[in-house]
Amino acid sequence: LMMMLFVGGARPLHLGLLLDGSESMESDLHAAANAAVQFVTALEEAVDVTFLDFDSSIRMGRFSRDSYPRLFERIRERKASGGTSLYDAIGAYLETAQARGGQHVLLVYSDGGENRSRLTYPHLVDALRFSNVILYALGYLDNQSSSVRAEQQSRLTMLARETGGEAFFPGSARALQTAYARILDELGSRYTLGYE
């Protein structure tokens, strides 16, 4: 019996990006899109990016490193409209990750609203618990009404924690940099033990 230690980039790292393009994100969509591009640029270890932008419906595409310019164009051209199918979008990413090996990290850029998904919150939590995905949420709540802000913050936080990830609510460029530094540090320090 031999124990192997795989550190950092020994296993391929697949990055997922979920961008909430619903109407409720209209005031924050530009900032969220720029933040997503910034993270892709910072995470050099990723072998590819699966990008999902969603409102009432979901659009998904996978991009290799040499097609990042096309990815960035797609991220930045997104306009806010429609309802929010957040749970279905996360569920769609979990399905693609389950079929592939390696490490899977998902960043969700959203205000945490939800009003169109077929997948229920309890079913999504179960799916996250049994997935091989680490979820980090970047929450945009400053332009949300006070009546829903606490619930949406709690929802994003709980979804991230189910996977060993974390939720951040950056209200400034400096806070975003701090969040990204923490995420990158966590990803760099993770390891996997395997037996052969």
Side-chain angles (χ1 to χ4, degrees):
L1 186 68
M2 177 172 51
M3 184 176 71
M4 298 173 293
L5 178 65
F6 301 98
V7 182
R11 298 170 66 219
L13 175 62
H14 304 284
L15 175 63
L17 294 177
L18 261 68
L19 180 62
D20 184 346
S22 64
E23 194 171 339
S24 65
M25 280 285 289
E26 185 171 12
S27 298
D28 295 304
L29 188 55
H30 178 73
N34 284 336
V37 169
Q38 187 177 347
F39 189 80
V40 173
T41 304
L43 187 64
E44 297 177 356
E45 295 84 358
V47 296
D48 57 24
V49 174
T50 300
F51 176 60
L52 295 89
D53 64 293
F54 64 94
D55 43 46
S56 304
S57 57
I58 303 164
R59 290 153 297 280
M60 179 169 27
R62 187 174 298 156
F63 299 83
S64 60
R65 296 193 67 83
D66 59 0
S67 61
Y68 279 3
R70 189 161 48 90
L71 167 64
F72 296 160
E73 182 180 347
R74 181 167 163 187
I75 291 173
R76 288 181 166 135
E77 71 185 7
R78 173 69 193 171
K79 305 296 182 191
S81 65
T84 312
S85 51
L86 173 63
Y87 300 164
D88 285 351
I90 296 173
Y93 181 78
L94 296 181
E95 286 183 13
T96 67
Q98 187 176 12
R100 295 194 295 162
Q103 304 174 79
H104 297 272
V105 177
L106 176 63
L107 266 69
V108 177
Y109 297 82
S110 176
D111 57 22
E114 167 56 62
N115 56 27
R116 293 295 174 91
S117 289
R118 295 178 181 176
L119 187 63
T120 65
Y121 182 80
H123 284 101
L124 176 59
V125 169
D126 286 343
L128 285 167
R129 285 176 181 161
F130 293 106
S131 75
N132 59 342
V133 173
I134 303 166
L135 187 154
Y136 293 95
L138 280 299
Y140 290 83
L141 301 176
D142 289 350
N143 292 305
Q144 301 302 303
S145 67
S146 56
S147 62
V148 300
R149 191 177 300 157
E151 178 186 349
Q152 292 176 188
Q153 181 172 348
S154 174
R155 180 182 298 149
L156 289 173
T157 300
M158 292 303 295
L159 290 175
R161 287 182 179 168
E162 287 297 337
T163 69
E166 195 171 346
F168 302 90
F169 303 91
S172 66
R174 184 172 183 177
L176 180 66
Q177 293 301 322
T178 301
Y180 280 176
R182 186 160 174 173
I183 294 171
L184 292 169
D185 183 59
E186 286 185 10
L187 294 179
S189 63
R190 287 183 184 272
Y191 61 87
T192 301
L193 288 176
Y195 293 90
E196 184 176 33

